[in-house]
Amino acid sequence: MIGEHDVLVVGAGCAGMRAAIAAQDAGADVAMISKLHPTRSHSGAAEGGINAALGNAADDSPETHAYDTVKGSDYLGDQDSIELFTAEAPGDIYQLENWGAVFSRREDGRLAQRPFGAAGSPRTVFAADITGHVLIQVLYEQVCKRDIKVYEEFFAWQLVLNDGRCQGVICWDLMNGGLKTVGGKTVVLATGGAGRQYRVTTNAYACTGDGMAMALQAGVPLKDMEFMQFHPTTLYPSGILLTEGCRGEGAYLINKDGERFMKRYAPNALELASRDVVSRSEQTEIDAGRGINGSVMLDMRHLGADRIIERLPGSRELSMTFAGVDPIFDPVPVRPGAHYHMGGVETGNDGATELTGLYAAGECACVSVHGANRLGGNSLMETITFGRRAGTAAAEWALSHTTIDIPASAERDAERKLKELLDRTSGERPWKIREELGESMLENFAVFRREEQMVRQVEILEDLRERYKSVYVEDKGEVFNSDLTQAIELGNMLDTALCMVMAGIVRKESRGAHSRPYDYPTRDDEHFLHHSIVYWRDGGPELSTKEVRFTKWEPEERKY
Ligand SMILES: Cc1cc2nc3c(=O)[nH]c(=O)nc-3n(C[C@H](O)[C@H](O)[C@H](O)COP(=O)(O)OP(=O)(O)OC[C@H]3O[C@@H](n4cnc5c(N)ncnc54)[C@H](O)[C@@H]3O)c2cc1C
């Protein structure tokens, strides 16, 4: 074991850093493990903003924010978690501001707020369209100020369980090679999403669901895994995101005939309907032959050059660099792309999982605030509010428990498993399996889902998992062996993808991002108003359900 800490946070994006700061402030000795340098974490790519009911642009309240979130979640979000979230969000925003986050401002000096999809009031606080970049820098400054140790470029591979609780993490040291174990009285998973399961995604290469898979293998359940959000505006062909902030600033979606087609699908909310609705509308247009090269167009021309340059400079640059289009003069081709996992490691409101000593926060967790469909701007807020809560709770538990005991057998087993993988002299290369995973998930488990395609996808995944058993890592080196880590990431993506599709098959309704227009086109509250729970048992997913927690909002039909 190379180190022991009260709280060990795995992941150094917004959720991980916020958790680490809170844990340190609660008096714990804290360290973070990250396969990337913290400021390279994917949170840095977030563009459009972060939601809190400050009421700076129009009347707003935490209660309205909670109602919008409940409705957006298609009534699958846990309402006590949502109310707590929206009540604490404003304080968390002001904390970030006090730490130096350079949010965009109104003329009167207060923080500016822009409209986002399915929000009853303009409540998205933003820093132009580089909000994630700003947040990650501010949080990293606070991490440095507190001198929190970071095991940087350490790839977390397995959780160490002993005496019925989580007591550490076994990692591969990317820079120097070799397995290294770090002990923690508590461990907080904050490893982000898994969008790389899909060929077209807004997610970075590092978003491979490692934390979800580690928890699953440690016997901890994942929740609501079938709900993968497809973002309506990803650039064709790269899949790079153009923020919802573009539509928040007033951009239109048009089809090949120049028609503003959202008028037909969501006459009131138009382009600012919730993401599931907009993605489905786009896909319907594309499938009906009213798209161009499998895309529709995002039209910003009427916003004018000044507004685009001031409010959406990053989106303009991305459009010019990756689609060859300047949005000041031409519409930009966009289509739905895999974006965000609503599901993840099941936690309570303080990030605690079923396993003593293990916590989770951020995109890898499922509290559940987002239910079946996340509202834009709520995810960054979740990383901050629930990152803070998880860090504090993990510190409190750690400070009242004193021992860390890593059994030698855990390290020996990991060494043996690694040797077995690296000793192979032939077999299938990981990239081949990874490509088939990405392509097939896009084909069979995307915006619209059909029973026969999902069943087929389970067969494909079982086949890929079988082939994965003899995957061949060609690079036997110690230093930056990305061949090895990509092989491990692939295993994580295959396991979590199987959980998603199997949960999708049994949910015989359409709710939020899970849309089955061909056999179960409507929401079925009588039979499916529950969370999906997946355990990993006997080498595969075992499904069950859990009640959704309600406070005051009864399910009602969604209208746009
Ligand atoms: C392009 C884009 C734009 C977005 N824009 C917005 C927005 O405007 N507003 C909003 O609310 N949401 C937005 N989102 C969603 C939001 O940004 C993410 O959900 C959120 O930032 C995730 O934060 P996180 O801390 O949970 O994970 P991440 O920021 O992804 O961090 C994960 C961390 O875990 C580490 N890690 C992962 N696996 C391992 C491992 N095996 N070992 C060690 N370390 C590991 C990584 O190194 C990293 O430090 C956007 C998402 C994308 C993709």
Side-chain angles (χ1 to χ4, degrees):
M1 184 160 51
I2 60 164
E4 270 191 25
H5 305 274
D6 293 330
V7 178
L8 188 57
V9 181
V10 186
C14 283
M17 288 202 278
R18 190 63 191 89
I21 292 165
Q24 178 102 342
D25 289 351
D29 160 50
V30 184
M32 287 193 292
I33 291 173
S34 181
K35 65 182 178 182
L36 304 171
H37 182 275
T39 60
R40 291 181 62 88
S41 300
H42 198 52
S43 290
E47 299 173 10
I50 174 165
N51 291 346
L54 308 182
N56 289 353
D59 271 355
D60 203 4
S61 67
E63 165 126 353
T64 317
H65 185 186
Y67 173 65
D68 291 342
T69 305
V70 167
K71 206 164 86 151
S73 79
D74 229 350
Y75 294 90
L76 206 72
D78 287 315
Q79 296 184 5
D80 59 330
S81 313
I82 292 173
E83 287 194 83
L84 190 154
F85 168 63
T86 60
E88 295 187 359
D92 281 327
I93 288 289
Y94 291 130
Q95 173 70 82
L96 290 166
E97 188 201 14
N98 292 343
W99 280 338
V102 286
F103 291 123
S104 299
R105 287 182 183 270
R106 295 155 47 90
E107 295 220 326
D108 65 7
R110 289 183 295 158
L111 301 185
Q113 296 190 275
R114 61 169 42 134
F116 249 42
S121 178
R123 72 169 64 95
T124 305
V125 177
F126 58 97
D129 56 1
I130 53 162
T131 312
H133 177 76
V134 164
L135 295 186
I136 211 128
Q137 302 298 328
V138 163
L139 292 169
Y140 189 54
E141 279 170 19
Q142 295 300 317
V143 164
C144 294
K145 182 178 165 193
R146 287 166 178 73
D147 213 9
I148 293 173
K149 179 165 178 58
V150 186
Y151 294 94
E152 209 168 288
E153 291 173 327
F154 264 51
F155 184 97
W157 186 26
Q158 293 173 17
L159 299 174
V160 180
L161 272 55
N162 192 21
D163 203 16
R165 64 186 176 94
C166 184
Q167 303 201 29
V169 182
I170 297 178
C171 310
W172 170 259
D173 179 348
L174 284 157
M175 213 161 353
N176 305 299
L179 290 183
K180 310 270 164 74
T181 305
V182 188
K185 290 178 191 166
T186 53
V187 173
V188 182
L189 292 172
T191 49
R196 280 284 146 185
Q197 292 159 329
Y198 289 81
R199 181 176 59 76
V200 176
T201 176
T202 60
N203 286 199
Y205 282 97
C207 299
T208 51
D210 301 350
M212 297 180 199
M214 277 190 282
L216 196 61
Q217 295 301 340
V220 176
L222 304 183
K223 185 161 80 183
D224 293 340
M225 287 299 284
E226 63 274 37
F227 297 104
M228 160 57 83
Q229 177 167 85
F230 274 69
H231 194 290
T233 54
T234 78
L235 272 181
Y236 175 85
S238 62
I240 290 172
L241 181 91
L242 286 194
T243 172
E244 189 162 308
C246 298
R247 284 171 286 138
E249 294 295 334
Y252 303 149
L253 284 164
I254 54 176
N255 61 19
K256 80 170 174 23
D257 305 318
E259 183 204 4
R260 201 174 161 196
F261 58 84
M262 285 308 299
K263 286 184 181 163
R264 279 188 276 117
Y265 299 96
N268 297 320
L270 297 164
E271 284 82 3
L272 288 179
S274 64
R275 288 181 178 175
D276 54 340
V277 173
V278 182
S279 285
R280 279 198 292 277
S281 310
E282 286 181 0
Q283 196 61 52
T284 306
E285 290 297 295
I286 294 165
D287 293 349
R290 292 190 289 272
I292 303 171
N293 289 333
S295 319
V296 293
M297 309 302 272
L298 185 68
D299 195 350
M300 297 185 228
R301 291 172 294 181
H302 55 285
L303 301 181
D306 290 350
R307 195 168 179 86
I308 292 175
I309 289 166
E310 186 208 329
R311 292 288 178 95
L312 303 165
S315 304
R316 179 176 180 233
E317 198 178 314
L318 290 172
S319 305
M320 291 195 296
T321 309
F322 293 99
V325 176
D326 183 343
I328 292 176
F329 304 108
D330 290 299
V332 187
V334 293
R335 62 180 167 175
H339 181 58
Y340 182 84
H341 268 88
M342 268 72 76
V345 180
E346 204 220 346
T347 74
N349 289 336
D350 290 328
T353 70
E354 253 185 30
L355 176 63
T356 306
L358 184 69
Y359 297 73
E363 191 169 339
C364 81
C366 182
V367 177
S368 145
V369 164
H370 312 300
N373 174 63
R374 167 176 78 91
L375 297 190
N378 268 357
S379 168
L380 280 181
M381 198 65 254
E382 182 198 13
T383 65
I384 301 297
T385 299
F386 287 97
R388 171 179 56 73
R389 293 183 69 88
T392 306
E396 280 166 4
W397 197 92
L399 292 171
S400 56
H401 294 75
T402 51
T403 56
I404 296 175
D405 180 14
I406 306 279
S409 60
E411 289 174 307
R412 267 200 314 270
D413 287 352
E415 290 285 2
R416 195 178 316 114
K417 214 167 140 190
L418 180 74
K419 185 168 178 328
E420 202 180 291
L421 180 61
L422 288 176
D423 278 356
R424 260 174 233 156
T425 51
S426 65
E428 195 167 358
R429 301 286 289 130
W431 63 264
K432 181 83 179 43
I433 300 175
R434 196 171 172 139
E435 246 177 39
E436 285 181 38
L437 168 70
E439 198 60 53
S440 61
M441 286 297 281
L442 197 62
E443 178 72 25
N444 297 323
F445 202 66
V447 175
F448 294 126
R449 295 160 181 189
R450 289 175 191 267
E451 175 94 13
E452 64 274 18
Q453 282 184 304
M454 290 190 279
V455 170
R456 170 92 189 102
Q457 186 60 16
V458 168
E459 288 165 10
I460 291 172
L461 289 168
E462 295 288 17
D463 174 57
L464 295 178
R465 291 182 65 244
E466 195 53 40
R467 284 159 51 190
Y468 179 75
K469 287 182 184 158
S470 56
V471 76
Y472 171 47
V473 176
E474 201 173 59
D475 184 352
K476 311 293 180 192
E478 297 276 289
V479 179
F480 282 105
N481 188 341
S482 53
D483 199 13
L484 170 66
T485 49
Q486 284 189 21
I488 297 172
E489 288 171 346
L490 174 61
N492 292 338
M493 289 195 287
L494 289 170
D495 289 354
T496 47
L498 189 59
C499 295
M500 290 162 66
V501 184
M502 287 182 67
I505 291 175
V506 298
R507 187 173 284 280
K508 296 187 187 304
E509 63 161 352
S510 289
R511 183 185 298 271
H514 182 63
S515 175
R516 303 183 57 157
Y518 312 103
D519 48 4
Y520 301 99
T522 55
R523 200 175 77 200
D524 179 356
D525 289 333
E526 195 185 331
H527 301 103
F528 293 101
L529 187 52
H530 54 235
H531 296 295
S532 311
I533 297 289
V534 191
Y535 286 91
W536 197 259
R537 296 215 167 111
D538 300 326
E542 185 183 286
L543 300 172
S544 58
T545 62
K546 188 168 182 174
E547 278 185 3
V548 177
R549 295 190 301 272
F550 285 82
T551 55
K552 54 183 141 188
W553 293 287
E554 287 300 316
E556 52 186 52
E557 204 187 324
R558 291 165 92 194
K559 292 196 187 79
Y560 294 93

